[in-house]
Amino acid sequence: VANLLLALQPWEHEDFLPPTLRKRLESLPFDITTISPSALDSNAWEKILHDIKPEVLVSCWSTHQLPIDTPVSNEPSSLKYVCHLAGSVKKLVPRPLIERGLSVSNWGSAVSRTIAECALLLTLSALRRTSHWAIAMHRDGKWKDKSEVVTESLFGRSVGIHGFGRIAQQLVPLLRPFGVSISAYEPGMPDKTFIQQDVARCNSLEELFSHHDIVIELAAYTSENHHVISEALLSRIRPGGIFVNVGRGAVVDELALIRVAQQGVLQVALDVYEVEPLPQDSPLRGLPNVTLLPHIAGPTKDRRRDAGELALLNLERYVNKQPLDAEVTVEVYDRTS
Amino acid sequence: VANLLLALQPWEHEDFLPPTLRKRLESLPFDITTISPSALDSNAWEKILHDIKPEVLVSCWSTHQLPIDTPVSNEPSSLKYVCHLAGSVKKLVPRPLIERGLSVSNWGSAVSRTIAECALLLTLSALRRTSHWAIAMHRDGKWKDKSEVVTESLFGRSVGIHGFGRIAQQLVPLLRPFGVSISAYEPGMPDKTFIQQDVARCNSLEELFSHHDIVIELAAYTSENHHVISEALLSRIRPGGIFVNVGRGAVVDELALIRVAQQGVLQVALDVYEVEPLPQDSPLRGLPNVTLLPHIAGPTKDRRRDAGELALLNLERYVNKQPLDAEVTVEVYDRTS
């Protein structure tokens, strides 16, 4: 029986592996050890890897602080499969281990729809100025002045999306009932994908930012994408337009975004930032035309079990020597943040 | 040529009758007089009605303060048609005038979709606690604690709607991409309408509030509906559930709602209240599990032209002696708030 190390904090366990999934895990031919990574320093973590010699590691967000690139990995390693419940494995798994044959999987597209949902929510919120009203109604005792209040609808708008990966593709069906026209910019994506989704292809970021009422940032972060959203691009959005970022903070030149936001002409709605946590003195805080969330786009607490479900399917595939779903190959590793 | 009196404030004119619609109006065989109702007292208003003797009155929100039930209406009245750009005509048109043959139309279902959009927005906002984050991020310099933050998704939920009129029926397609199951309670609505929309029929409010994660209030206000949403009903929503009101404030026993909200177990999201403006000292203000908007569900500023478009079609029908759309008959008058 192979050893399986479950390195999760109790709340991660509860959210990602609720009782029905935990039962399915226990029915698999593994000798399971459960630890809470937050209680460990790197020495204790190294000793656990050495003593338990796991063949399979089930990891999550809090395992990031305990990378498996320890001296132990210089021994002939017992570890054959890292089943990561969350997204990015870069802090946990060093690239050479994947090159040498370690299998790694993550949540793939299991949670993409909840991030798409947050993109829709931030768009609707910016159009209605709900962030302004939350503060005005709760803190400042206000009511509207009917002749002055500005509210806008998503119906009939044009939406441009930077990036056309899993999340953007899950956003499209959420936008459709609003009768919007949708375009996207993602140079590497084949025409077929655009045609299947009935989304127009943009040929440049300049086109994307010039021709849409609403621009939604969903591009993956790569070295070429660093700060690619510049002041010149942001200024192309028509006055009264909307810029939403639920992708990666560093794709945007945040100082440029702050300057544009301070002009008060655009509505800006952000879930991600260049530096997280967002500094207390960030000029983004307090701007009336800016909606802020603390990087909570996804997955929501109630849908983390979708990532757990995918992990269970993968552990079952691993036991049956079938190919894994959402495998993090070297190519995927290099492409993701 | 018949006299047409356009009684609108400049901002109403701009929103409801932008230049293309104004041009169409000017091409019709009317002698048009434009006045701003806010500048008038009731004597001046009466004099205008007497002097202009309009056959057609185009009215909007701000005309409410100047009802057409003046002594002038005891004369054989010139007025044959009130083309109301907004919804409720009850403050403007006394019922006997409709009985005596005055034609009245309103915005019908032209703006229902924007109110449905706000219902979706409030639902998604309550699930993600965006009102809490707006205040925490902008006013209190906060960031999340990953192990404590609660976020929820609409995907896979059950939604119950009180009322199944135009707005609720426009809400259904906005909810569909989230794979929710939808039920509604509206005793007077024929089964056919439920079947066409693939919405389950609830047979009581008790059933509606007991069996759904999310309850959305969209019922029209009638004397039988007054305070029908009681503490007993609200307490039936499962812990962690959501109550949204974008319908009418007085359908809900607001003191009961306040008591339930203060327990902190439900998420509550409101656009309407028993007393509007919402009093400064309302206990609803400041509750962390309550999302508040100042009655802005609809129509949004950018879509008021949809109501203008319908009004123009009706004015064209009036000229051509064709039946009006969205006519406010005595039956409609009695049914609406």
Side-chain angles (χ1 to χ4, degrees):
Chain A
V1 178
N3 290 323
L4 182 146
L5 179 61
L6 206 58
L8 304 176
Q9 286 200 52
W11 64 272
E12 291 173 325
H13 198 295
E14 200 178 293
D15 290 354
F16 284 85
L17 298 174
T20 52
L21 291 177
R22 174 76 200 209
K23 238 174 229 164
R24 270 171 62 191
L25 177 60
E26 281 163 8
S27 75
L28 293 176
F30 289 120
D31 194 348
I32 302 173
T33 307
T34 306
I35 59 155
S36 179
S38 60
L40 304 175
D41 61 16
S42 59
N43 285 339
W45 173 239
E46 202 176 317
K47 187 167 173 351
I48 283 171
L49 289 180
H50 181 83
D51 292 351
I52 297 177
K53 296 195 173 44
E55 180 177 322
V56 177
L57 169 66
V58 177
S59 55
C60 197
W61 289 312
S62 62
T63 327
H64 285 171
Q65 63 194 63
L66 299 167
I68 56 180
D69 183 24
T70 63
V72 178
S73 61
N74 293 328
E75 304 173 29
S77 176
S78 61
L79 194 64
K80 291 190 179 149
Y81 175 32
V82 174
C83 181
H84 191 57
L85 290 166
S88 172
V89 296
K90 284 203 166 160
K91 287 183 194 158
L92 180 71
V93 183
R95 194 177 186 278
L97 292 188
I98 304 179
E99 289 169 37
R100 275 184 256 146
L102 180 71
S103 293
V104 180
S105 67
N106 69 2
W107 64 25
S109 55
V111 303
S112 307
R113 61 183 189 169
T114 61
I115 303 165
E117 179 182 15
C118 192
L120 175 68
L121 167 56
L122 281 177
T123 303
L124 295 175
S125 297
L127 286 161
R128 292 270 181 166
R129 323 297 198 242
T130 58
S131 175
H132 162 77
W133 286 116
I135 296 164
M137 296 284 288
H138 276 304
R139 285 282 171 99
D140 302 336
K142 290 274 177 66
W143 188 255
K144 69 178 168 182
D145 174 339
K146 201 160 189 166
S147 67
E148 285 175 9
V149 68
V150 176
T151 54
E152 294 179 289
S153 168
L154 181 55
F155 280 100
R157 298 296 184 127
S158 66
V159 178
I161 309 175
H162 181 205
F164 201 50
R166 292 158 173 159
I167 300 167
Q169 290 180 44
Q170 298 267 18
L171 176 58
V172 170
L174 305 185
L175 295 172
R176 284 291 175 218
F178 293 93
V180 292
S181 64
I182 309 175
S183 312
Y185 174 73
E186 166 98 61
M189 193 64 69
D191 282 338
K192 195 182 68 181
T193 311
F194 286 84
I195 293 162
Q196 277 168 351
Q197 299 248 358
D198 194 19
V199 166
R201 175 162 219 147
C202 268
N203 293 308
S204 68
L205 282 171
E206 285 70 23
E207 194 187 321
L208 191 82
F209 279 72
S210 300
H211 297 161
H212 299 93
D213 302 330
I214 296 157
V215 177
I216 300 175
E217 180 54 60
L218 276 173
Y221 179 73
T222 62
S223 51
E224 300 93 69
N225 264 349
H226 182 77
H227 280 201
V228 75
I229 308 306
S230 61
E231 186 159 356
L233 277 177
L234 291 164
S235 303
R236 282 174 180 261
I237 303 178
R238 67 156 181 77
I242 286 172
F243 177 73
V244 174
N245 192 357
V246 281
R248 295 291 163 186
V251 172
V252 180
D253 179 347
E254 197 166 284
L255 290 176
L257 177 62
I258 288 167
R259 284 193 298 273
V260 172
Q262 283 170 335
Q263 292 161 19
V265 180
L266 281 191
Q267 294 293 318
V268 175
L270 305 172
D271 185 52
V272 292
Y273 310 89
E274 266 206 86
V275 176
E276 296 181 8
L278 183 68
Q280 279 213 320
D281 61 353
S282 166
L284 291 167
R285 297 190 193 260
L287 290 179
N289 54 323
V290 174
T291 300
L292 301 174
L293 288 179
H295 201 152
I296 57 166
T300 54
K301 203 171 164 63
D302 60 330
R303 301 303 330 177
R304 288 171 194 167
R305 63 177 188 263
D306 296 342
E309 173 74 35
L310 176 61
L312 252 293
L313 288 172
N314 268 333
L315 290 166
E316 287 158 1
R317 286 187 191 108
Y318 179 82
V319 166
N320 297 317
K321 301 189 194 322
Q322 294 167 335
L324 300 174
D325 194 9
E327 189 165 357
V328 183
T329 59
V330 171
E331 294 71 38
V332 173
Y333 190 93
D334 288 344
R335 218 171 48 221
T336 51
S337 328
Chain B
V1 179
N3 290 323
L4 183 146
L5 179 61
L6 205 58
L8 304 176
Q9 286 199 53
W11 64 272
E12 291 173 325
H13 198 294
E14 200 177 294
D15 291 353
F16 285 85
L17 297 173
T20 52
L21 291 176
R22 174 76 201 208
K23 236 173 231 164
R24 270 170 64 191
L25 177 60
E26 281 163 6
S27 75
L28 293 176
F30 289 120
D31 193 347
I32 301 173
T33 307
T34 305
I35 58 155
S36 179
S38 60
L40 304 175
D41 63 15
S42 58
N43 286 337
W45 174 238
E46 203 177 317
K47 187 167 174 350
I48 283 172
L49 289 179
H50 181 82
D51 291 351
I52 297 178
K53 296 195 174 42
E55 180 177 322
V56 177
L57 170 66
V58 177
S59 55
C60 196
W61 289 313
S62 62
T63 326
H64 285 170
Q65 63 194 59
L66 298 167
I68 57 181
D69 182 25
T70 63
V72 178
S73 60
N74 294 327
E75 305 174 28
S77 176
S78 61
L79 194 63
K80 292 191 178 148
Y81 175 32
V82 174
C83 181
H84 191 57
L85 290 167
S88 173
V89 296
K90 283 203 167 161
K91 288 184 193 157
L92 179 72
V93 183
R95 193 176 186 280
L97 291 188
I98 303 179
E99 289 168 38
R100 274 184 257 147
L102 179 70
S103 292
V104 180
S105 67
N106 69 2
W107 63 25
S109 55
V111 303
S112 307
R113 61 183 188 167
T114 61
I115 302 164
E117 178 182 17
C118 192
L120 175 68
L121 167 56
L122 281 177
T123 303
L124 295 175
S125 296
L127 286 162
R128 293 271 179 165
R129 324 296 198 243
T130 58
S131 175
H132 162 78
W133 286 116
I135 296 163
M137 296 284 289
H138 276 304
R139 285 283 172 100
D140 301 337
K142 290 274 177 68
W143 188 254
K144 69 179 168 181
D145 175 338
K146 201 161 191 168
S147 67
E148 284 175 9
V149 67
V150 176
T151 54
E152 294 179 289
S153 167
L154 181 55
F155 280 101
R157 298 295 183 128
S158 66
V159 178
I161 309 174
H162 181 206
F164 201 50
R166 292 157 173 160
I167 299 167
Q169 290 180 44
Q170 298 267 18
L171 176 58
V172 170
L174 306 186
L175 295 172
R176 284 290 176 217
F178 294 93
V180 293
S181 64
I182 309 174
S183 312
Y185 174 73
E186 167 97 62
M189 193 63 70
D191 282 338
K192 195 182 67 180
T193 311
F194 287 84
I195 293 162
Q196 278 168 349
Q197 299 249 358
D198 193 19
V199 166
R201 175 161 219 147
C202 268
N203 293 307
S204 68
L205 282 172
E206 287 70 22
E207 194 187 322
L208 190 81
F209 278 73
S210 299
H211 297 162
H212 299 93
D213 302 330
I214 296 157
V215 177
I216 300 175
E217 180 55 59
L218 276 172
Y221 179 73
T222 61
S223 50
E224 300 94 68
N225 264 350
H226 182 77
H227 281 201
V228 76
I229 307 305
S230 62
E231 185 159 356
L233 277 178
L234 291 164
S235 303
R236 281 175 180 259
I237 303 180
R238 66 156 182 77
I242 286 171
F243 177 73
V244 174
N245 192 357
V246 280
R248 294 291 164 188
V251 172
V252 179
D253 179 347
E254 196 166 284
L255 290 176
L257 178 63
I258 289 167
R259 285 193 297 274
V260 172
Q262 283 170 335
Q263 293 162 20
V265 180
L266 280 190
Q267 295 293 317
V268 175
L270 305 172
D271 185 52
V272 291
Y273 310 90
E274 267 207 84
V275 177
E276 296 181 6
L278 183 68
Q280 279 214 319
D281 61 353
S282 167
L284 291 168
R285 297 190 194 259
L287 290 179
N289 54 323
V290 175
T291 300
L292 302 173
L293 288 178
H295 202 152
I296 57 167
T300 54
K301 203 170 164 63
D302 60 329
R303 303 298 336 172
R304 288 171 194 167
R305 63 177 189 262
D306 297 342
E309 173 74 35
L310 176 61
L312 252 293
L313 288 171
N314 268 334
L315 290 165
E316 287 158 2
R317 286 187 192 108
Y318 178 82
V319 166
N320 298 317
K321 301 190 194 321
Q322 294 167 336
L324 300 175
D325 193 8
E327 187 165 358
V328 183
T329 59
V330 172
E331 294 71 36
V332 173
Y333 190 92
D334 290 344
R335 219 171 47 223
T336 52
S337 326

